[in-house]
């Protein structure tokens, strides 16, 4: 099984396990929170109903104390019995306020408590009325009021209502105790399940960790095997590339030797052809008719073109193999020197050259000189009739793909060409015009491209027929590494 599939399966397994663990933790947390909330709610209800029962008991006791103080004063007419009676009345007022604030959870209990409060208030009025009669020396009326049984009936009704309310609260409290016991049992079960699931999770994690450890060892061994295979393939490929590089270097040396020998061997016959042509033209001109003289001129022109072509080919082949190491080159000085070399052509064509401030770049000085000689001489050669050549050389620096580049443009106002031929002009021997119109071997711009590419850059052309051409040269600012690589390659060759 491929390493990638094994890794994906391992990741998927851990995702599933993690999801299950998180799901179980969430369920346990939810059950625990629900149990805690149920316990809290039940306990709160128990506290509330206990408060209600306690307040009812206190109310009953205070009513009994008031009635006991009243009867003691009526029977003995001793003023000391009025003290507990009056204290009880004061407490009754506070107790009724507390009773009114009670919020029982028993259905209908609020109305029952309101009825109880009304009965207590009636009982208080009866007690106060009886004591006031006794204090006004109307003991007989007071005793008669007591003996009428009205106060006893009020108390019985009050007590019955109070006992009913209290009984309902006690029953509700017993129900809450039963609920609390159930919740406690459920809590034990819930926490027991949580403990069991947690234990199982720990055991599962330990199991999967052990399983994963074994899987990692297995995957690591397979990965090491794959790495060994890959390293062996890389070594084999490196060996093949080394052999290919050696073969290419040998081929390049042979090709260069062949180019040198071929150029030397080809140039020698051409020199003899030109020399014997000159002798025929000088010594036997009077013996030749017009047609013979034309043949000799054609022969000499062909020999000269052949010589130029051989020289250009040789130069084209040596751009990479015979280039000099890169140094800091002042382009301003290079182009100024180039303009001086082309001084005669510039004067004859009355050309004007506008030169911007140019930088110092890391380059091969002689090849830069050759580059701009070709571009400027082309701008002069391919000029429009009766139009003075205007050549504009500019410079800027741009950032392309996070790298800084020198951008040099050479623009002219010459004959131009159709844009569809923009790539064709950089191919060796590709001409857009007849040889009779413009002289040349058709290899100059191909040399320009080779020079720029050796410097790690690009050259392109944009043109409009009849309006001129603009050449754009792009050379990386940091091309030191390119120079080192090319120097090492040349040294190997």
């Amino acid at each position: 099984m491929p390493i990638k599939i094994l890794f994906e399966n391992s990741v998927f397994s851990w995702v599933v396990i993690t999801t299950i663990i998180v799901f179980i933790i969430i369920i346990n947390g939810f059950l625990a929170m629900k149990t805690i909330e149920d316990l809290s709610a039940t306990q709160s209800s128990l506290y509330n109903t206990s408060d209600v029962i306690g307040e009812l008991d206190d109310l009953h006791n205070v009513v009994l104390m008031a009635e006991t103080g009243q009867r003691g004063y009526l029977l003995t007419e001793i003023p000391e019995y009025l003290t507990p009676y009056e204290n009880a009345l004061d407490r009754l007022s506070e107790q009724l306020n507390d009773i009114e604030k009670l919020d029982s959870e028993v259905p209908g209990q609020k109305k029952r408590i309101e009825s109880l409060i009304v009965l207590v208030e009636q009982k208080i009025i009866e007690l106060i009325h009886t004591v006031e009669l006794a204090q006004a020396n109307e003991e007989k009326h007071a005793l008669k009021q007591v003996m009428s049984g009205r106060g006893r009936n009020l108390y019985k009704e009050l007590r019955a209502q109070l006992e009913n309310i209290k009984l309902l609260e006690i029953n509700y409290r017993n129900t809450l105790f039963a609920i609390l016991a159930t919740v406690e049992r459920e809590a034990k079960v819930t926490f027991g399940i949580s403990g069991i699931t947690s234990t199982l999770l720990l055991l599962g994690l330990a199991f999967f960790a052990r399983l994963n450890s074994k899987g990692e060892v297995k995957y690591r061994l397979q990965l090491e095997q794959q790495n060994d295979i890959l390293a062996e393939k890389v070594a084999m490929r490196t060996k093949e590339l080394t052999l290919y590089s050696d073969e290419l270097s040998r081929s390049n040396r042979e090709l260069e030797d062949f180019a040198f020998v071929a150029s030397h061997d080809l140039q020698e016959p051409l020199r003899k052809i030109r020399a014997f042509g000159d002798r025929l033209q000088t010594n036997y001109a009077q013996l030749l008719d017009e047609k013979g003289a034309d043949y000799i001129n054609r022969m000499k022109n062909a020999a000269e073109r052949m010589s130029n072509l051989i020289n250009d080919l040789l130069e084209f082949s040596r751009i990479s193999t015979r280039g000099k190491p890169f140094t800091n080159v002042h382009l301003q000085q290079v182009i100024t020197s180039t303009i001086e070399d082309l001084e005669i052509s510039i004067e004859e064509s009355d050309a004007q050259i506008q030169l911007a401030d140019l930088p110092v770049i890391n380059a091969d000085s002689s090849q830069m000189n050759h580059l701009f000689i070709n571009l400027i001489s082309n701008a002069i050669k391919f000029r429009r009739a009766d139009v003075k050549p205007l050549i504009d050389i500019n410079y800027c620096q741009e950032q392309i793909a996070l790298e800084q580049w020198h951008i040099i443009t050479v623009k002219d106002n010459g004959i131009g060409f159709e844009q569809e031929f923009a790539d064709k002009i950089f191919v060796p021997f590709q001409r857009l015009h007849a040889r009779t119109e413009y002289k040349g071997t058709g290899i100059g711009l191909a040399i320009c491209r080779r020079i720029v590419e050796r410097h790690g850059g690009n050259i392109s052309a944009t043109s409009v027929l009849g309006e001129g051409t603009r050449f754009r040269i792009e050379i990386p600012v940091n091309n030191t590494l390119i120079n080192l690589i090319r120097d090492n390659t040349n040294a190997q060759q």
Side-chain angles (χ1 to χ4, degrees):
M1 184 180 293
I3 297 297
K4 182 178 180 182
I5 297 177
L6 293 173
F7 176 76
E8 290 177 351
N9 291 339
S10 176
V11 172
F12 177 76
S13 300
W14 276 108
V15 169
V16 172
I17 294 170
T18 304
T19 303
I20 294 174
I21 292 173
V22 171
F23 182 71
I24 293 174
I25 291 174
I26 291 174
I27 292 177
N28 287 339
F30 174 77
L31 292 175
M33 290 297 296
K34 186 177 182 303
T35 301
I36 293 172
E37 289 177 357
D38 292 343
L39 285 171
S40 178
T42 304
Q43 288 177 349
S44 178
S45 298
L46 281 172
Y47 289 143
N48 185 60
T49 190
S50 297
D51 289 342
V52 172
I53 293 172
E55 293 293 338
L56 292 174
D57 287 337
D58 290 343
L59 178 63
H60 188 200
N61 292 332
V62 173
V63 170
L64 286 176
M65 288 176 60
E67 190 172 37
T68 301
Q70 175 222 36
R71 294 191 174 221
Y73 176 72
L74 292 177
L75 292 174
T76 62
E77 295 184 359
I78 299 174
E80 284 78 1
Y81 281 98
L82 291 177
T83 300
Y85 161 76
E86 291 172 351
N87 291 337
L89 288 182
D90 292 336
R91 287 186 60 188
L92 267 176
S93 178
E94 296 176 0
Q95 195 65 32
L96 287 176
N97 289 332
D98 294 338
I99 292 293
E100 288 178 351
K101 295 177 183 178
L102 293 176
D103 185 17
S104 175
E105 297 178 5
V106 178
Q109 200 77 305
K110 187 173 182 62
K111 291 184 178 180
R112 298 186 189 96
I113 291 174
E114 290 176 352
S115 300
L116 176 64
I117 291 173
V118 171
L119 291 174
V120 172
E121 290 176 345
Q122 291 177 358
K123 181 63 178 177
I124 291 172
I125 292 171
E126 186 270 334
L127 291 173
I128 293 173
H129 179 66
T130 304
V131 172
E132 287 178 348
L133 288 175
Q135 289 177 337
N137 295 322
E138 295 184 11
E139 290 82 358
K140 292 181 179 180
H141 289 86
L143 289 173
K144 185 178 179 180
Q145 181 74 22
V146 173
M147 297 304 294
S148 66
R150 182 173 179 275
R152 184 171 60 256
N153 293 335
L154 275 174
Y155 176 73
K156 287 181 179 179
E157 186 178 356
L158 183 151
R159 183 175 178 179
Q161 182 73 353
L162 190 146
E163 291 295 334
N164 181 40
I165 295 172
K166 185 176 177 181
L167 180 62
L168 291 173
E169 290 292 335
I170 291 173
N171 291 337
Y172 180 62
R173 184 175 64 181
N174 292 336
T175 302
L176 291 175
F177 277 125
I179 293 173
L180 183 62
T182 302
V183 173
E184 287 178 349
R185 286 195 299 272
E186 292 177 353
K188 292 178 181 178
V189 173
T190 300
F191 289 119
I193 293 173
S194 297
I196 293 171
T197 54
S198 298
T199 303
L200 292 176
L201 282 176
L202 291 174
L203 293 175
L205 285 174
F207 171 75
F208 282 111
R210 182 176 180 80
L211 188 65
N212 185 64
S213 177
K214 292 181 178 179
E216 285 182 356
V217 172
K218 180 181 178 181
Y219 299 154
R220 187 169 59 251
L221 291 175
Q222 292 182 359
L223 184 59
E224 289 175 355
Q225 292 175 357
Q226 294 287 343
N227 287 337
D228 292 340
I229 295 172
L230 183 60
E232 184 177 353
K233 289 181 178 180
V234 170
M236 291 177 62
R237 185 59 177 166
T238 303
K239 185 177 180 180
E240 292 175 0
L241 290 174
T242 302
L243 293 175
Y244 176 76
S245 177
D246 294 341
E247 181 65 21
L248 183 61
S249 298
R250 184 184 62 78
S251 176
N252 285 339
R253 287 194 301 270
E254 292 177 354
L255 183 61
E256 186 178 355
D257 294 340
F258 172 78
F260 177 77
V261 172
S263 64
H264 181 271
D265 292 346
L266 288 175
Q267 288 283 16
E268 184 60 28
L270 285 174
R271 281 194 292 271
K272 288 183 178 180
I273 291 172
R274 293 169 67 182
F276 284 115
D278 290 338
R279 291 179 183 180
L280 283 173
Q281 197 173 36
T282 303
N283 299 327
Y284 300 95
Q286 68 276 11
L287 300 178
L288 297 174
D289 58 7
E290 183 177 351
K291 195 172 185 179
D294 181 58
Y295 286 161
I296 291 176
N297 286 331
R298 290 187 181 186
M299 179 186 67
K300 290 176 63 179
N301 290 336
E304 184 177 358
R305 287 198 304 271
M306 186 65 178
S307 178
N308 293 334
L309 183 60
I310 292 172
N311 289 330
D312 287 346
L313 279 174
L314 187 60
E315 184 176 359
F316 180 77
S317 67
R318 289 177 172 177
I319 289 175
S320 297
T321 58
R322 295 294 181 88
K324 297 179 181 178
F326 291 2
T327 58
N328 290 331
V329 177
H330 294 263
L331 285 185
Q332 198 84 24
Q333 297 177 2
V334 169
I335 297 181
T336 301
S337 176
T338 301
I339 294 173
E340 292 176 357
D341 293 339
L342 298 173
E343 181 179 1
I344 296 175
S345 298
I346 293 172
E347 289 180 355
E348 290 177 351
S349 62
D350 198 14
Q352 293 183 5
I353 300 177
Q354 296 179 352
L355 184 60
D357 292 334
L358 299 177
V360 176
I361 68 171
N362 192 39
D364 182 335
S365 177
S366 61
Q367 290 187 351
M368 286 291 107
N369 182 69
H370 200 163
L371 169 67
F372 287 105
I373 281 181
N374 280 338
L375 292 178
I376 296 173
S377 61
N378 273 0
I380 295 173
K381 179 168 64 174
F382 296 104
R383 61 183 182 274
R384 287 181 287 169
D386 301 327
V387 177
K388 294 179 180 180
L390 178 61
I391 305 169
D392 191 7
I393 302 175
N394 281 311
Y395 166 80
C396 67
Q397 195 172 115
E398 292 183 7
Q399 181 172 335
I400 304 174
L402 302 178
E403 186 176 357
Q404 293 295 324
W405 292 71
H406 298 296
I407 308 297
I408 305 161
T409 59
V410 180
K411 181 180 179 183
D412 62 56
N413 61 343
I415 60 174
F417 57 85
E418 297 287 351
Q419 187 61 33
E420 60 184 290
F421 302 115
D423 290 331
K424 184 178 179 182
I425 63 174
F426 294 104
V427 178
F429 310 119
Q430 295 294 323
R431 300 174 60 93
L432 302 183
H433 308 89
R435 188 178 291 108
T436 55
E437 294 183 69
Y438 298 97
K439 294 182 179 181
T441 60
I443 203 171
L445 290 179
I447 292 175
C448 290
R449 169 173 279 185
R450 287 289 296 272
I451 290 173
V452 174
E453 288 178 348
R454 181 181 177 247
H455 289 74
N458 303 293
I459 183 171
S460 60
T462 55
S463 181
V464 177
L465 187 62
E467 295 184 9
T469 304
R470 178 177 178 268
F471 289 92
R472 175 183 169 97
I473 302 166
E474 301 173 355
I475 297 177
V477 173
N478 297 318
N479 61 353
T480 306
L481 181 60
I482 297 172
N483 181 37
L484 291 174
I485 294 173
R486 295 191 184 277
D487 288 345
N488 290 335
T489 303
N490 295 337
Q492 292 174 3
Q493 294 176 357

